[in-house]
Amino acid sequence: MKMMAVMFAASMLLTSCYSYTSVVGSGAQGNNKTTEWNHYIIYGLAPVGVSDSKQMAGGAENYTVHTRQSFVNGLISAITFGIYTPTTTTVTK
C-alpha cells in the first residue's frame, strides 16, 4: 500500500512540465509546423537564444505558437542541474 501511495505521489509531482499556447489572428489554418529550441541558463532566468515566432511563421497572418518544456528538455535541464534549461517552440500555420 505504501508503494502505491509513493508511486501515485511521484506521478503527480512529475507531470509539471509547463506549456503555453498563443493564437495569432484566427490561429493555425493548416498543419505546417516549424519547431525550434529556446536556450536559457540558470533555471531559465537568463535567455541565451530565443526563437522568433514571427520569423518562424514566415509571414503568415494566422498561426498558433506552442511553447513547452518537453521531456527531453527537462532531462537535459536535470542532467545539467538547471545550468542549461532549454524549451521548445512550435509554430503551426
Side-chain angles (χ1 to χ4, degrees):
M1 188 65 162
K2 280 186 178 180
M3 184 61 141
M4 284 187 72
V6 169
M7 293 298 287
F8 177 75
S11 68
M12 296 307 288
L13 292 172
L14 296 175
T15 61
S16 64
C17 293
Y18 74 84
S19 167
Y20 61 91
T21 302
S22 301
V23 177
V24 178
S26 300
Q29 304 296 314
N31 291 326
N32 187 4
K33 295 183 180 185
T34 305
T35 301
E36 290 185 14
W37 276 30
N38 305 305
H39 309 283
Y40 297 93
I41 56 173
I42 311 169
Y43 297 103
L45 296 175
V48 176
V50 181
S51 60
D52 181 9
S53 58
K54 196 171 195 176
Q55 181 184 20
M56 290 171 66
E61 293 183 14
N62 301 310
Y63 56 94
T64 302
V65 181
H66 182 70
T67 302
R68 66 195 174 282
Q69 185 175 34
S70 67
F71 175 78
V72 174
N73 296 143
L75 180 63
I76 291 171
S77 180
I79 290 171
T80 63
F81 299 105
I83 295 170
Y84 173 61
T85 310
T87 59
T88 303
T89 299
T90 303
V91 173
T92 308
K93 301 187 260 182

Coordinates of all heavy atoms in Angstrom, one line a residue:
M1 N 0.8 -1.2 0.0 CA 0.0 0.0 0.0 C 0.9 1.3 0.0 O 0.6 2.2 -0.7 CB -0.9 0.0 1.2 CG -1.9 1.0 1.2 SD -3.1 0.8 -0.2 CE -4.4 1.8 0.3
K2 N 2.0 1.2 0.8 CA 2.9 2.4 0.8 C 3.5 2.6 -0.6 O 3.6 3.8 -1.0 CB 4.0 2.2 1.8 CG 3.6 2.4 3.2 CD 4.8 2.3 4.1 CE 4.5 2.6 5.6 NZ 5.7 2.5 6.4
M3 N 3.8 1.5 -1.2 CA 4.4 1.6 -2.6 C 3.5 2.3 -3.5 O 3.9 3.1 -4.4 CB 4.9 0.3 -3.1 CG 5.6 0.3 -4.4 SD 7.1 1.3 -4.2 CE 8.2 0.4 -5.2
M4 N 2.2 1.9 -3.5 CA 1.2 2.6 -4.4 C 1.1 4.0 -4.1 O 0.9 4.9 -5.0 CB -0.1 1.8 -4.3 CG -0.2 0.5 -5.0 SD -1.8 -0.2 -5.0 CE -2.6 0.9 -6.1
A5 N 1.1 4.4 -2.8 CA 1.0 5.8 -2.4 C 2.2 6.6 -2.9 O 2.0 7.7 -3.4 CB 0.8 5.9 -0.9
V6 N 3.4 6.0 -2.8 CA 4.6 6.7 -3.3 C 4.5 6.8 -4.8 O 4.9 7.9 -5.4 CB 5.8 5.9 -2.8 CG1 7.1 6.4 -3.6 CG2 6.0 6.0 -1.3
M7 N 4.1 5.8 -5.5 CA 4.0 5.8 -7.0 C 3.0 6.9 -7.4 O 3.2 7.6 -8.4 CB 3.6 4.5 -7.6 CG 4.7 3.4 -7.4 SD 6.2 3.9 -8.2 CE 5.8 3.6 -9.9
F8 N 1.9 7.0 -6.7 CA 0.9 8.0 -7.1 C 1.4 9.4 -6.8 O 1.2 10.3 -7.7 CB -0.4 7.8 -6.2 CG -1.5 8.8 -6.5 CD1 -2.2 8.7 -7.7 CD2 -1.7 9.8 -5.6 CE1 -3.2 9.7 -7.9 CE2 -2.7 10.8 -5.8 CZ -3.4 10.7 -7.0
A9 N 2.0 9.6 -5.7 CA 2.6 10.9 -5.4 C 3.7 11.3 -6.4 O 3.7 12.5 -6.9 CB 3.1 11.0 -4.0
A10 N 4.5 10.4 -6.8 CA 5.6 10.6 -7.8 C 5.0 11.0 -9.1 O 5.4 11.9 -9.8 CB 6.5 9.5 -7.9
S11 N 3.9 10.3 -9.5 CA 3.3 10.5 -10.8 C 2.7 11.9 -10.9 O 2.6 12.6 -11.9 CB 2.3 9.4 -11.2 OG 1.2 9.5 -10.4
M12 N 2.1 12.3 -9.8 CA 1.5 13.7 -9.7 C 2.6 14.8 -9.7 O 2.4 15.8 -10.3 CB 0.6 13.8 -8.5 CG -0.6 12.8 -8.5 SD -1.6 12.9 -10.0 CE -2.4 14.5 -9.8
L13 N 3.7 14.5 -9.1 CA 4.7 15.5 -9.0 C 5.5 15.7 -10.3 O 6.1 16.7 -10.6 CB 5.7 15.2 -7.8 CG 5.0 15.4 -6.4 CD1 6.0 14.9 -5.4 CD2 4.7 16.8 -6.1
L14 N 5.6 14.6 -11.0 CA 6.5 14.6 -12.2 C 5.7 15.0 -13.5 O 6.3 15.0 -14.6 CB 7.1 13.2 -12.4 CG 8.0 12.7 -11.3 CD1 8.5 11.3 -11.6 CD2 9.2 13.7 -11.2
T15 N 4.5 15.5 -13.4 CA 3.7 15.9 -14.5 C 3.8 17.4 -14.7 O 2.9 18.0 -15.4 CB 2.3 15.5 -14.4 OG1 1.7 16.0 -13.2 CG2 2.2 14.0 -14.4
S16 N 4.7 18.1 -14.1 CA 4.7 19.6 -14.1 C 5.5 20.3 -15.2 O 5.8 21.4 -15.1 CB 5.2 20.0 -12.8 OG 6.6 19.7 -12.7
C17 N 5.7 19.6 -16.3 CA 6.3 20.3 -17.5 C 5.4 21.4 -17.9 O 4.2 21.1 -18.2 CB 6.7 19.3 -18.6 SG 7.9 18.1 -18.1
Y18 N 5.9 22.6 -18.1 CA 5.0 23.7 -18.4 C 4.8 23.8 -19.9 O 5.5 23.3 -20.7 CB 5.4 25.0 -17.8 CG 6.6 25.6 -18.5 CD1 6.5 26.4 -19.7 CD2 7.9 25.4 -18.0 CE1 7.6 27.0 -20.3 CE2 9.0 26.0 -18.6 CZ 8.8 26.8 -19.8 OH 9.9 27.3 -20.4
S19 N 3.7 24.4 -20.3 CA 3.3 24.6 -21.6 C 2.4 25.8 -21.8 O 1.5 26.0 -20.9 CB 2.6 23.3 -22.1 OG 1.9 23.5 -23.3
Y20 N 2.5 26.6 -22.8 CA 1.6 27.7 -23.1 C 1.4 27.9 -24.6 O 2.3 27.6 -25.3 CB 1.9 29.0 -22.3 CG 3.3 29.6 -22.7 CD1 3.3 30.6 -23.7 CD2 4.4 29.3 -22.0 CE1 4.5 31.1 -24.1 CE2 5.6 29.9 -22.3 CZ 5.7 30.8 -23.4 OH 6.9 31.4 -23.7
T21 N 0.2 28.3 -24.9 CA -0.1 28.5 -26.3 C -0.6 29.9 -26.6 O -1.4 30.4 -25.8 CB -1.2 27.5 -26.7 OG1 -0.8 26.1 -26.4 CG2 -1.6 27.6 -28.2
S22 N -0.2 30.5 -27.7 CA -0.7 31.8 -28.1 C -1.2 31.6 -29.5 O -0.7 31.0 -30.4 CB 0.5 32.8 -28.2 OG 1.1 32.9 -26.9
V23 N -2.4 32.3 -29.7 CA -3.1 32.2 -31.0 C -2.9 33.6 -31.7 O -3.3 34.6 -31.0 CB -4.5 31.8 -30.9 CG1 -5.2 31.9 -32.2 CG2 -4.6 30.4 -30.3
V24 N -2.4 33.7 -32.9 CA -2.2 34.9 -33.6 C -3.2 34.9 -34.7 O -3.3 34.0 -35.5 CB -0.8 35.1 -34.1 CG1 -0.7 36.4 -34.9 CG2 0.2 35.0 -33.0
G25 N -4.0 36.0 -34.9 CA -5.0 36.1 -35.9 C -6.1 35.1 -35.6 O -6.6 35.0 -34.5
S26 N -6.5 34.3 -36.6 CA -7.5 33.2 -36.4 C -6.9 31.9 -36.0 O -7.6 30.9 -35.9 CB -8.3 33.0 -37.7 OG -8.9 34.2 -38.1
G27 N -5.6 31.9 -35.8 CA -5.0 30.6 -35.4 C -4.5 29.8 -36.6 O -4.7 30.2 -37.7
A28 N -4.0 28.6 -36.3 CA -3.4 27.8 -37.4 C -4.5 27.4 -38.4 O -5.6 27.0 -38.0 CB -2.8 26.6 -36.8
Q29 N -4.3 27.5 -39.7 CA -5.2 27.1 -40.7 C -4.8 25.8 -41.4 O -5.6 25.3 -42.2 CB -5.3 28.2 -41.8 CG -5.6 29.6 -41.3 CD -7.0 29.7 -40.6 OE1 -8.0 29.2 -41.2 NE2 -7.1 30.2 -39.4
G30 N -3.7 25.3 -41.1 CA -3.2 24.0 -41.6 C -2.4 23.3 -40.7 O -2.4 23.5 -39.4
N31 N -1.6 22.3 -41.2 CA -0.7 21.5 -40.3 C 0.8 21.7 -40.6 O 1.6 20.9 -40.2 CB -1.0 20.0 -40.5 CG -2.4 19.7 -40.0 OD1 -2.8 20.2 -39.0 ND2 -3.1 18.8 -40.7
N32 N 1.2 22.8 -41.2 CA 2.6 23.1 -41.4 C 3.2 23.6 -40.1 O 2.9 24.6 -39.6 CB 2.7 24.2 -42.5 CG 4.1 24.4 -43.0 OD1 5.0 23.8 -42.5 ND2 4.3 25.4 -43.8
K33 N 4.2 22.8 -39.6 CA 4.8 23.1 -38.3 C 6.3 23.4 -38.5 O 7.0 22.7 -39.2 CB 4.6 21.9 -37.4 CG 3.2 21.7 -37.0 CD 3.0 20.6 -36.0 CE 1.6 20.4 -35.6 NZ 1.4 19.4 -34.6
T34 N 6.7 24.3 -37.7 CA 8.2 24.7 -37.6 C 8.5 24.6 -36.1 O 7.8 25.2 -35.3 CB 8.5 26.1 -38.2 OG1 8.0 26.1 -39.5 CG2 9.9 26.4 -38.1
T35 N 9.6 23.9 -35.8 CA 10.0 23.8 -34.4 C 11.4 24.2 -34.2 O 12.3 23.9 -35.0 CB 9.8 22.3 -33.9 OG1 8.5 21.9 -34.1 CG2 10.2 22.1 -32.5
E36 N 11.6 25.0 -33.1 CA 13.0 25.4 -32.7 C 13.1 25.3 -31.2 O 12.1 25.4 -30.4 CB 13.2 26.8 -33.1 CG 13.4 27.0 -34.6 CD 13.8 28.4 -35.0 OE1 14.2 29.2 -34.1 OE2 13.6 28.8 -36.2
W37 N 14.3 25.2 -30.7 CA 14.6 25.2 -29.3 C 15.0 26.6 -28.8 O 15.6 27.4 -29.6 CB 15.8 24.3 -29.0 CG 15.4 22.8 -28.8 CD1 14.4 22.2 -29.4 CD2 16.1 21.9 -28.0 NE1 14.4 20.8 -29.0 CE2 15.4 20.6 -28.1 CE3 17.2 21.9 -27.1 CZ2 15.8 19.5 -27.5 CZ3 17.6 20.8 -26.5 CH2 16.9 19.6 -26.6
N38 N 14.6 26.9 -27.6 CA 15.0 28.2 -27.0 C 16.0 27.8 -25.9 O 15.9 26.8 -25.2 CB 13.8 28.8 -26.3 CG 12.7 29.0 -27.2 OD1 12.8 29.6 -28.3 ND2 11.5 28.5 -26.9
H39 N 17.1 28.6 -25.8 CA 18.2 28.3 -24.9 C 18.2 29.3 -23.7 O 18.3 30.5 -23.9 CB 19.5 28.3 -25.7 CG 19.4 27.5 -26.9 ND1 19.5 26.1 -26.9 CD2 19.2 27.8 -28.2 CE1 19.4 25.6 -28.1 NE2 19.3 26.7 -28.9
Y40 N 18.2 28.8 -22.5 CA 18.2 29.6 -21.3 C 19.3 29.0 -20.4 O 19.6 27.8 -20.5 CB 16.9 29.5 -20.5 CG 15.8 30.1 -21.3 CD1 14.9 29.3 -22.1 CD2 15.5 31.5 -21.2 CE1 13.9 29.9 -22.8 CE2 14.4 32.1 -21.9 CZ 13.6 31.2 -22.7 OH 12.6 31.8 -23.4
I41 N 19.8 29.8 -19.5 CA 20.7 29.3 -18.5 C 20.2 29.7 -17.1 O 19.3 30.6 -17.0 CB 22.2 29.8 -18.7 CG1 22.2 31.4 -18.7 CG2 22.8 29.3 -19.9 CD1 23.6 31.9 -18.7
I42 N 20.7 29.1 -16.1 CA 20.4 29.4 -14.7 C 18.9 29.2 -14.4 O 18.2 30.2 -14.1 CB 20.9 30.7 -14.2 CG1 22.4 30.9 -14.5 CG2 20.7 30.9 -12.7 CD1 22.9 32.3 -14.3
Y43 N 18.4 28.0 -14.6 CA 17.0 27.7 -14.4 C 16.0 28.5 -15.2 O 14.9 28.8 -14.8 CB 16.6 27.8 -12.9 CG 17.4 26.9 -12.0 CD1 18.5 27.3 -11.3 CD2 17.1 25.5 -12.0 CE1 19.2 26.4 -10.5 CE2 17.8 24.6 -11.2 CZ 18.8 25.1 -10.4 OH 19.5 24.2 -9.7
G44 N 16.4 28.9 -16.4 CA 15.6 29.7 -17.3 C 15.5 31.2 -17.0 O 14.7 31.9 -17.6
L45 N 16.4 31.7 -16.1 CA 16.3 33.1 -15.8 C 17.0 34.0 -16.8 O 16.6 35.1 -17.0 CB 17.0 33.3 -14.4 CG 16.3 32.7 -13.3 CD1 17.1 32.9 -12.0 CD2 14.9 33.2 -13.1
A46 N 18.0 33.5 -17.5 CA 18.8 34.3 -18.5 C 18.7 33.7 -19.9 O 19.2 32.6 -20.1 CB 20.2 34.4 -18.0
P47 N 18.0 34.3 -20.8 CA 17.9 33.8 -22.2 C 19.2 34.0 -22.9 O 19.9 35.0 -22.8 CB 16.8 34.7 -22.8 CG 16.8 35.9 -22.0 CD 17.2 35.6 -20.6
V48 N 19.6 32.9 -23.6 CA 20.8 33.0 -24.4 C 20.4 33.0 -25.9 O 21.0 33.8 -26.7 CB 21.7 31.7 -24.2 CG1 22.9 31.7 -25.1 CG2 22.1 31.7 -22.7
G49 N 19.5 32.3 -26.3 CA 19.0 32.3 -27.7 C 17.5 31.9 -27.7 O 17.2 30.7 -27.4
V50 N 16.7 32.8 -28.1 CA 15.2 32.6 -28.0 C 14.7 32.7 -29.5 O 15.0 33.6 -30.2 CB 14.5 33.6 -27.1 CG1 13.0 33.3 -27.1 CG2 15.1 33.5 -25.7
S51 N 13.9 31.7 -29.9 CA 13.3 31.7 -31.2 C 12.3 32.9 -31.4 O 11.7 33.3 -30.5 CB 12.6 30.4 -31.5 OG 11.6 30.2 -30.6
D52 N 12.2 33.4 -32.7 CA 11.3 34.4 -33.0 C 10.1 33.8 -33.7 O 10.2 33.4 -34.9 CB 12.0 35.4 -33.9 CG 11.2 36.6 -34.3 OD1 10.1 36.7 -33.8 OD2 11.6 37.4 -35.2
S53 N 9.0 33.7 -33.0 CA 7.8 33.1 -33.6 C 7.3 33.8 -34.9 O 6.8 33.1 -35.8 CB 6.7 33.0 -32.6 OG 6.3 34.3 -32.1
K54 N 7.4 35.1 -35.0 CA 7.0 35.8 -36.2 C 7.8 35.4 -37.4 O 7.3 35.2 -38.5 CB 7.1 37.3 -35.9 CG 6.3 38.1 -36.9 CD 6.3 39.6 -36.4 CE 5.3 40.3 -37.2 NZ 5.1 41.7 -36.7
Q55 N 9.1 35.2 -37.2 CA 10.0 34.8 -38.2 C 9.7 33.3 -38.6 O 9.7 32.9 -39.7 CB 11.5 34.9 -37.8 CG 12.4 34.5 -38.9 CD 13.9 34.6 -38.4 OE1 14.1 34.6 -37.2 NE2 14.8 34.6 -39.4
M56 N 9.5 32.5 -37.6 CA 9.1 31.1 -37.8 C 7.8 30.9 -38.6 O 7.7 30.0 -39.3 CB 9.0 30.3 -36.5 CG 10.3 30.1 -35.7 SD 10.1 29.5 -34.1 CE 9.5 27.9 -34.4
A57 N 6.9 31.9 -38.4 CA 5.7 31.8 -39.2 C 5.8 32.2 -40.6 O 4.9 31.9 -41.5 CB 4.6 32.7 -38.5
G58 N 6.9 32.8 -41.0 CA 7.2 33.0 -42.4 C 6.3 34.0 -43.1 O 5.9 33.8 -44.2
G59 N 5.8 35.0 -42.3 CA 4.9 36.0 -42.9 C 3.4 35.6 -42.9 O 2.6 36.4 -43.3
A60 N 3.1 34.5 -42.3 CA 1.7 34.1 -42.2 C 1.0 35.1 -41.2 O 1.6 35.5 -40.2 CB 1.6 32.7 -41.7
E61 N -0.3 35.4 -41.5 CA -1.0 36.2 -40.6 C -1.8 35.5 -39.5 O -2.1 36.0 -38.5 CB -2.0 37.1 -41.4 CG -1.3 38.1 -42.3 CD -2.3 39.0 -43.1 OE1 -3.5 39.0 -42.7 OE2 -1.9 39.6 -44.0
N62 N -2.1 34.2 -39.8 CA -2.8 33.3 -38.8 C -1.9 32.1 -38.5 O -1.6 31.3 -39.3 CB -4.1 32.9 -39.4 CG -5.0 34.0 -39.8 OD1 -5.3 34.9 -39.1 ND2 -5.5 34.0 -41.1
Y63 N -1.6 32.0 -37.2 CA -0.8 30.9 -36.8 C -0.9 30.7 -35.2 O -1.4 31.6 -34.5 CB 0.7 31.1 -37.2 CG 1.4 32.3 -36.7 CD1 2.1 32.4 -35.5 CD2 1.3 33.5 -37.4 CE1 2.8 33.5 -35.1 CE2 1.9 34.7 -37.0 CZ 2.7 34.7 -35.8 OH 3.3 35.8 -35.4
T64 N -0.5 29.6 -34.8 CA -0.5 29.2 -33.4 C 0.9 28.9 -32.9 O 1.6 28.2 -33.5 CB -1.4 28.0 -33.1 OG1 -2.7 28.3 -33.6 CG2 -1.5 27.7 -31.7
V65 N 1.3 29.5 -31.7 CA 2.6 29.3 -31.1 C 2.4 28.5 -29.9 O 1.6 28.9 -29.0 CB 3.2 30.7 -30.8 CG1 4.6 30.5 -30.2 CG2 3.3 31.6 -32.0
H66 N 3.1 27.4 -29.8 CA 3.1 26.5 -28.6 C 4.5 26.4 -28.1 O 5.3 25.8 -28.7 CB 2.5 25.1 -29.0 CG 2.3 24.2 -27.9 ND1 1.4 24.4 -26.9 CD2 3.0 23.1 -27.6 CE1 1.5 23.4 -26.1 NE2 2.4 22.6 -26.4
T67 N 4.7 26.9 -26.8 CA 6.0 26.8 -26.2 C 5.8 25.8 -25.0 O 4.9 26.0 -24.2 CB 6.5 28.2 -25.8 OG1 6.5 29.0 -26.9 CG2 7.9 28.1 -25.1
R68 N 6.8 24.9 -24.9 CA 6.7 23.9 -23.8 C 8.1 23.5 -23.4 O 9.0 23.6 -24.1 CB 5.9 22.7 -24.2 CG 6.5 21.9 -25.3 CD 5.6 21.0 -26.0 NE 6.2 20.4 -27.2 CZ 6.4 20.9 -28.4 NH1 6.0 22.2 -28.6 NH2 6.9 20.2 -29.3
Q69 N 8.1 22.8 -22.2 CA 9.3 22.1 -21.8 C 9.0 20.6 -22.0 O 8.3 20.1 -21.2 CB 9.7 22.5 -20.4 CG 11.0 21.8 -20.0 CD 11.5 22.2 -18.6 OE1 10.7 22.4 -17.7 NE2 12.8 22.3 -18.5
S70 N 9.6 20.0 -23.0 CA 9.3 18.6 -23.3 C 10.1 17.8 -22.3 O 10.9 18.2 -21.5 CB 9.7 18.3 -24.7 OG 11.1 18.4 -24.9
F71 N 9.9 16.5 -22.4 CA 10.6 15.5 -21.6 C 12.1 15.6 -21.8 O 12.9 15.6 -20.9 CB 10.1 14.1 -21.8 CG 10.9 13.1 -21.1 CD1 10.7 12.8 -19.7 CD2 11.9 12.3 -21.7 CE1 11.4 11.9 -19.0 CE2 12.7 11.4 -21.0 CZ 12.4 11.2 -19.7
V72 N 12.5 15.7 -23.1 CA 13.9 15.8 -23.4 C 14.5 17.1 -22.9 O 15.6 17.1 -22.3 CB 14.1 15.7 -25.0 CG1 15.6 15.9 -25.3 CG2 13.7 14.3 -25.5
N73 N 13.8 18.2 -23.0 CA 14.2 19.5 -22.4 C 14.4 19.4 -20.9 O 15.4 19.8 -20.4 CB 13.3 20.6 -22.7 CG 13.1 20.9 -24.2 OD1 12.0 21.2 -24.6 ND2 14.2 20.9 -24.9
G74 N 13.5 18.7 -20.2 CA 13.6 18.6 -18.8 C 14.7 17.6 -18.4 O 15.4 17.9 -17.4
L75 N 14.9 16.6 -19.2 CA 16.0 15.7 -18.9 C 17.4 16.4 -19.0 O 18.2 16.3 -18.1 CB 16.0 14.5 -19.9 CG 17.0 13.4 -19.7 CD1 16.9 12.8 -18.3 CD2 16.9 12.4 -20.8
I76 N 17.5 17.2 -20.1 CA 18.8 17.9 -20.2 C 19.0 18.9 -19.1 O 20.1 19.1 -18.5 CB 18.8 18.6 -21.6 CG1 18.9 17.6 -22.7 CG2 19.9 19.7 -21.7 CD1 18.8 18.1 -24.1
S77 N 17.9 19.6 -18.7 CA 17.9 20.5 -17.6 C 18.3 19.8 -16.3 O 19.1 20.3 -15.5 CB 16.6 21.2 -17.4 OG 16.6 22.1 -16.3
A78 N 17.8 18.6 -16.1 CA 18.1 17.8 -14.9 C 19.6 17.4 -14.9 O 20.3 17.4 -13.9 CB 17.2 16.6 -14.7
I79 N 20.1 16.9 -16.0 CA 21.5 16.5 -16.2 C 22.4 17.6 -15.9 O 23.5 17.4 -15.2 CB 21.7 15.9 -17.5 CG1 21.0 14.5 -17.7 CG2 23.2 15.7 -17.8 CD1 21.0 14.0 -19.1
T80 N 22.1 18.8 -16.3 CA 23.0 20.0 -16.1 C 22.7 20.7 -14.8 O 23.2 21.8 -14.5 CB 22.9 21.0 -17.3 OG1 21.6 21.5 -17.3 CG2 23.3 20.3 -18.6
F81 N 21.8 20.1 -13.9 CA 21.4 20.7 -12.7 C 20.9 22.1 -12.8 O 21.1 23.0 -12.0 CB 22.6 20.7 -11.7 CG 23.1 19.3 -11.3 CD1 24.3 18.9 -11.9 CD2 22.4 18.5 -10.5 CE1 24.8 17.6 -11.6 CE2 22.8 17.2 -10.3 CZ 24.0 16.8 -10.8
G82 N 20.1 22.4 -13.9 CA 19.5 23.7 -14.2 C 20.4 24.7 -14.7 O 19.9 25.9 -14.9
I83 N 21.6 24.4 -15.0 CA 22.5 25.4 -15.5 C 22.1 25.8 -17.0 O 22.0 26.9 -17.3 CB 24.0 25.0 -15.5 CG1 24.5 24.8 -14.1 CG2 24.9 25.9 -16.3 CD1 25.8 24.1 -13.9
Y84 N 21.7 24.7 -17.7 CA 21.2 24.9 -19.1 C 19.8 24.4 -19.1 O 19.5 23.2 -18.7 CB 22.0 24.2 -20.1 CG 21.5 24.2 -21.5 CD1 21.3 25.3 -22.2 CD2 21.1 23.0 -22.1 CE1 20.7 25.3 -23.5 CE2 20.6 22.9 -23.4 CZ 20.4 24.1 -24.1 OH 19.9 24.1 -25.3
T85 N 18.8 25.3 -19.4 CA 17.4 24.9 -19.4 C 16.7 25.2 -20.7 O 16.2 26.4 -20.9 CB 16.7 25.7 -18.2 OG1 17.5 25.5 -17.0 CG2 15.3 25.1 -18.0
P86 N 16.6 24.3 -21.6 CA 16.0 24.6 -22.9 C 14.5 24.4 -22.9 O 13.9 23.7 -22.0 CB 16.6 23.5 -23.8 CG 16.9 22.4 -22.9 CD 17.3 23.0 -21.6
T87 N 13.8 25.0 -23.8 CA 12.4 24.8 -24.1 C 12.2 24.6 -25.6 O 13.2 24.9 -26.4 CB 11.5 26.0 -23.6 OG1 11.9 27.2 -24.3 CG2 11.6 26.2 -22.1
T88 N 11.0 24.2 -26.0 CA 10.8 24.0 -27.4 C 9.6 24.9 -27.8 O 8.6 24.9 -27.2 CB 10.4 22.5 -27.7 OG1 11.5 21.7 -27.2 CG2 10.2 22.3 -29.1
T89 N 9.7 25.6 -29.0 CA 8.6 26.4 -29.5 C 8.2 25.8 -30.9 O 9.1 25.5 -31.7 CB 9.1 27.8 -29.7 OG1 9.4 28.4 -28.5 CG2 8.0 28.7 -30.4
T90 N 6.9 25.6 -31.1 CA 6.4 25.1 -32.3 C 5.4 26.1 -32.9 O 4.5 26.5 -32.1 CB 5.7 23.7 -32.1 OG1 6.7 22.8 -31.6 CG2 5.2 23.1 -33.4
V91 N 5.6 26.5 -34.1 CA 4.6 27.4 -34.8 C 3.9 26.6 -35.8 O 4.5 25.9 -36.7 CB 5.4 28.6 -35.4 CG1 4.4 29.4 -36.3 CG2 6.0 29.4 -34.4
T92 N 2.6 26.6 -35.7 CA 1.7 25.9 -36.7 C 1.0 26.9 -37.5 O 0.4 27.8 -37.0 CB 0.7 25.0 -35.9 OG1 1.4 24.1 -35.0 CG2 -0.1 24.1 -36.9
K93 N 1.1 26.7 -38.9 CA 0.5 27.7 -39.8 C -0.7 27.0 -40.5 O -0.8 25.9 -40.6 CB 1.5 28.1 -40.9 CG 2.7 28.8 -40.4 CD 3.5 29.4 -41.5 CE 4.6 28.4 -41.8 NZ 5.5 28.9 -42.8

